[in-house]
Amino acid sequence: MQDLLTFLDRSPSRYHAVENLRLELEEAGYARLEEGRAWTLAPGGRYYVVRNGSALAAFRVPRREGAGFMISASHSDSPTFRVKEHAELEGPDGYLRLNVEGYGGMLCAPWLDRPLTVAGRVLVSTDGGIEPRLVYVDRDLLLIPNVAIHMNREANTGYKYDPKCDMVPLMGLGAEKGTFRSLAAQAAGCAPEDILGTDLTLCLRQKGLVWGEKGEFLSAPRLDDLQCAWGCFRGFLEAGESAAVPVYALLDNEEVGSLTRQGADGTLLSDVVERVCAALGRDRAAAVANSFMVSADNAHAVHPNHPEYHDATHRPAMNAGLVIKHGVRYATDGAAQAVFTALCRRAGVPVQHFSNRSDLAGGSTLGNISNAHVSVNTVDIGLAQLAMHSCFETAGVRDAGYLVQAMTAFYAASYREEAGRMILD
Ligand code: ZN
């Protein structure tokens, strides 16, 4: 549990999340592959590739021949606010504010009256080329102040947030123009004029914590989807070898539709599958037919104050196991459900089921988007959580452990289809 909290705290942006996992892969003996070079893969080898600093794919080459891919996919991004290129808004009345825009479908209210800062990366001009550098301004730098109830009597009765004014963070009073650029440069260890580009977002300063009468809850920023990203990663590292190629994929931009080169609608996963098959002399279509994917993205637990939003017979609880997600916007069907259920039985992990209340559309995720590029039997799963897309979300303390347990069994297995039967080895 502490390991998950540490990962969340050290990953204030998607770039930090990818870098933290990358460092762990290096430590575990994984070799970095360059997408722009030929790949030579050896049996027993461990590899990873990073795309755009915000997406990552890691895999191992089995010593045994023949089976397909065992893939997990989760996402590195979370709803937040992106700092615009011309970041400083001067005034009114001597205030200095940051010009931001929404990224993803966030709940606005939780962002107000909380200490915030910025995190992400800047692209720095160096003698050796343009270098991405991680940035985390490690101080209470920003806050988005509420309007007093005396001036906005509608604040508690269905207020509509206007992103261009209500969600603008305050940074200073009487501060000089150029202060923000200087702070970013300082955090990146460069001169302000050497910054050629930025990818910075707001983040909450509040650290993750365990709470509740028995310590049964866990609250932190970015649980969706770094909790699943972490659980799948631990399972990937801990699993024993099978005849299959285990693949861990962390993709970006799920919160804005995945349609980028580092997103699930890009080619990272299909390129990896393609190139592994080519390097090992395998038939791609045969390998993909004998593959299975777990698309892991958090699910909705029944809300204590609003249980009516859940379907009558699909009511996931926190600390009660993995949630299989069903519905037209998910990749799960009976076949995928059956394989994953068999796997969880093998792992001794409880499963529960989510289906939208029939008059609600619900959310979507990266399973079916990814399927359009690498068409493998896919199940959508998640961990039950409250307040999805708040900047401080809540989950059960036991569920991430269940995910590790299930994914360890998943990555130690292989999958094949024969005359319509699905077989887990
Ligand atoms: Zn998500």
Side-chain angles (χ1 to χ4, degrees), residues 75 77 224-225 254-255 296-298 325 364-365 388-389:
H75 65 91
D77 61 326
D224 171 15
D225 189 27
E254 191 276 339
E255 301 294 358
D297 195 1
N298 271 357
K325 302 196 273 188
S364 62
T365 182
M388 190 179 284
H389 292 194

Side-chain angles (χ1 to χ4, degrees), residues 66-70 244 285-292 376 414-418:
F69 296 85
M70 298 299 270
V288 165
N290 290 328
S291 297
F292 194 85
V376 303
S414 61
Y415 170 84
R416 65 196 153 94
E417 294 186 3
E418 255 176 48

Side-chain angles (χ1 to χ4, degrees), residues 103-117:
Y103 173 91
M106 78 289 294
L107 288 167
C108 286
W111 285 90
L112 299 169
D113 300 329
R114 308 263 201 136
L116 308 171
T117 188

